[in-house]
Amino acid sequence: MPTLLLVRHGRSTANTAGVLAGWTPGVELDDTGRSQAEELAERLAQVPLVQAVSSPLERCRQTLAPLLAARPELRGPELDERFGECHYGEWTGRPLAELAKEPLWRVVQDHAAAAAFPGGESLRALSHRTVTAAREWDEKVAAEHGQDAVWIACSHGDVIKAIVADALGLHLDHFQRINVEPCSVTAIRYTPQRPFVLRVGDTGSLASLAPRPHSAATPSGDAVVGGDTGAR
């Protein structure tokens, strides 16, 4: 099955200010975020990509811009609101230091499956829409480009954590155990048997994510007993 590369957007002006941006329009990458986006294109230089999908928010589209400029053959990005940030409702635009004093903060941290943002959406709803988007796009990429295709989706921290939690079989209450830094890459390969989480929050070299020949010793979709050799 294809490999999905989930990219969290580069550092934004809201990240720097310590504000919960949500769907606030006009939140862009800061200087560091723009540098991270340029580096992302270099980190992915050896990885063939067939599809780019993005949250419609500016900071995600800006993160993919240098990559798409370097890959004129790569169409996109296709904008999909299901990869968009959580709708934080009345929490949107407020300082994180202030939100940490709210009773709901502890629910978000310790019992995410019960957390619903006032005037916004629940984390359960976030998980459902984002996991559905990832799996549907993966099936589409497989049908159009084959089982060894690699595709990329640029999204947001809580979105990526929810998708990873699902792929790992974790209850949503545990998704705060997952950390993804700005412009990090998380790689997931879905198979008919199970998802394989290949990278989580990787900020280093990505060359080894390029497709490689399948081993005849291990059926596709099976885990390698004793561990993968990592050979290319």
Side-chain angles (χ1 to χ4, degrees), residues 134-156:
R135 290 178 177 269
E136 286 184 357
W137 271 103
D138 200 71
E139 291 174 1
K140 180 180 179 181
V141 169
E144 294 181 0
H145 300 282
Q147 302 299 310
D148 294 327
V150 183
W151 64 286
I152 191 168
C154 190
S155 190
H156 308 267

Side-chain angles (χ1 to χ4, degrees), residues 41-49 71 205-211:
E42 298 174 5
R43 292 163 60 206
L44 288 168
Q46 299 181 55
V47 181
L49 298 169
R71 305 279 188 100
S205 173
L206 301 167
S208 64
L209 290 174

Side-chain angles (χ1 to χ4, degrees), residues 99-177:
L99 292 172
K101 300 174 184 177
E102 296 277 356
L104 180 59
W105 182 271
R106 287 262 49 92
V107 181
V108 172
Q109 296 298 315
D110 303 330
H111 191 13
F117 297 97
E121 70 180 328
S122 69
L123 288 174
R124 294 190 312 278
L126 170 77
S127 175
H128 176 73
R129 70 169 164 89
T130 57
V131 170
T132 299
R135 290 178 177 269
E136 286 184 357
W137 271 103
D138 200 71
E139 291 174 1
K140 180 180 179 181
V141 169
E144 294 181 0
H145 300 282
Q147 302 299 310
D148 294 327
V150 183
W151 64 286
I152 191 168
C154 190
S155 190
H156 308 267
D158 281 349
V159 171
I160 295 171
K161 288 158 60 176
I163 295 173
V164 172
D166 170 77
L168 290 173
L170 290 178
H171 193 283
L172 187 59
D173 284 352
H174 300 314
F175 98 131
Q176 298 291 22
R177 301 182 182 192

Side-chain angles (χ1 to χ4, degrees), residues 2-112:
T3 299
L4 161 61
L5 306 185
L6 284 164
V7 177
R8 184 185 172 196
H9 61 79
R11 198 176 78 176
S12 72
T13 53
N15 294 146
T16 308
V19 171
L20 188 63
W23 283 73
T24 303
V27 175
E28 301 187 347
L29 300 183
D30 66 7
D31 289 343
T32 295
R34 286 190 286 272
S35 296
Q36 290 171 334
E38 294 286 348
E39 292 168 2
L40 176 68
E42 298 174 5
R43 292 163 60 206
L44 288 168
Q46 299 181 55
V47 181
L49 298 169
V50 300
Q51 178 71 60
V53 184
S54 178
S55 157
L57 294 172
E58 292 98 325
R59 53 196 184 273
C60 289
R61 291 186 281 112
Q62 289 175 343
T63 298
L64 288 182
L67 173 65
L68 295 175
R71 305 279 188 100
E73 77 284 359
L74 184 61
R75 294 180 300 168
E78 296 282 348
L79 303 183
D80 190 333
E81 290 195 355
R82 294 176 299 174
F83 283 114
E85 180 62 284
C86 182
H87 292 277
Y88 293 114
E90 295 173 15
W91 278 32
T92 302
R94 293 177 60 189
L96 293 169
E98 179 182 293
L99 292 172
K101 300 174 184 177
E102 296 277 356
L104 180 59
W105 182 271
R106 287 262 49 92
V107 181
V108 172
Q109 296 298 315
D110 303 330
H111 191 13

